[in-house]
């Protein structure tokens, strides 16, 4: 089992749009395995994207609503209907804010062998698909926040009020 360290906000890799995967080879399968090991290696994790472990590739894994898997080079179709539940991120540990997301999402992409893959979900799974795809675009969930919620989140991040591993954890 290879649990990789999670990159924390401030690391430039989290703000860099990821490169599409073009080689569906053993190296890619090893990355998917490392991502899944990192996801499942600690309780309470719903997804991990390649940039969160320092890899510039459009790959993520998820474990949400009883479904577990991976997606490569995703595109999303989103419903107009919204949900507004609390959301957090491994790269901004300990902070959670109400985050608007589409209630339903369909992700199209590929599996680790290059076969077409479609994942459709509602609620928490839809939220996870959107959150992880945002990571591949160089976006964090706090980028979707608006108004007072965004100001509060940014204040807490600037003040270092998140549970960073560098703060003794």
């Amino acid at each position: 089992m290879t649990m990789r360290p999670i990159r924390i906000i401030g690391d430039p890799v989290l703000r860099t749009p990821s490169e599409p995967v073009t080689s569906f080879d053993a190296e890619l399968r090893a990355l998917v395995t490392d991502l899944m090991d990192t996801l499942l290696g600690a309780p309470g994790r719903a997804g991990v994207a390649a940039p969160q472990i320092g890899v510039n590739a459009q790959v993520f894994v998820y474990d949400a609503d009883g479904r577990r898997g991976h997606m490569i080079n995703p595109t999303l179709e989103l419903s107009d209907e919204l949900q507004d539940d609390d959301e957090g991120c491994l790269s901004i540990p300990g902070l959670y804010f109400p985050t608007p997301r589409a209630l339903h999402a369909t992700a199209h992409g590929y599996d680790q062998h290059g076969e077409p893959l479609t994942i459709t979900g509602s609620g928490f799974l839809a939220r996870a698909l959107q959150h992880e795809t945002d990571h591949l675009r160089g976006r964090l969930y706090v980028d979707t926040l608006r108004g007072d919620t965004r100001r509060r989140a940014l204040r807490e991040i600037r003040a270092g009020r998140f549970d960073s591993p560098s703060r003794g954890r």
Side-chain angles (χ1 to χ4, degrees), residues 43-167:
R45 294 181 171 181
V48 177
Q52 291 182 281
I53 62 168
V55 178
N56 184 349
Q58 291 186 15
V59 181
F60 70 78
V61 296
Y62 63 92
D63 185 12
D65 285 345
R67 295 178 58 191
R68 181 183 294 165
H70 67 277
M71 174 71 68
I72 298 161
N73 298 339
T75 60
L76 291 178
E77 293 175 31
L78 304 174
S79 70
D80 292 332
E81 191 177 1
L82 296 177
Q83 57 177 315
D84 195 27
D85 293 322
D86 278 355
E87 192 166 319
C89 181
L90 297 173
S91 293
I92 313 172
L95 292 185
Y96 300 88
F97 295 96
T99 305
R101 296 282 188 182
L103 181 59
H104 309 284
T106 299
H108 301 281
Y110 300 90
D111 71 10
Q112 62 188 328
H113 304 288
E115 296 298 320
L117 181 63
T118 298
I119 304 162
T120 299
S122 297
F124 188 60
L125 178 56
R127 179 175 295 282
L129 294 172
Q130 293 167 79
H131 182 107
E132 299 310 326
T133 299
D134 276 356
H135 273 300
L136 304 181
R137 295 175 180 156
R139 291 175 41 105
L140 298 171
Y141 85 99
V142 293
D143 299 332
T144 68
L145 302 177
R146 299 287 176 254
D148 288 339
T149 304
R150 180 173 174 77
R151 284 188 286 281
R152 187 168 47 107
L154 295 178
R155 245 189 333 269
E156 290 189 33
I157 290 167
R158 277 193 299 275
R161 292 190 194 133
F162 55 91
D163 195 8
S164 170
S166 63
R167 296 178 66 205

Side-chain angles (χ1 to χ4, degrees), residues 7-18 51 54 56 135 138-139:
R7 302 293 180 98
I8 301 299
I9 190 168
D11 189 317
V13 72
L14 296 173
R15 295 302 194 170
T16 304
S18 298
N56 184 349
H135 273 300
R139 291 175 41 105

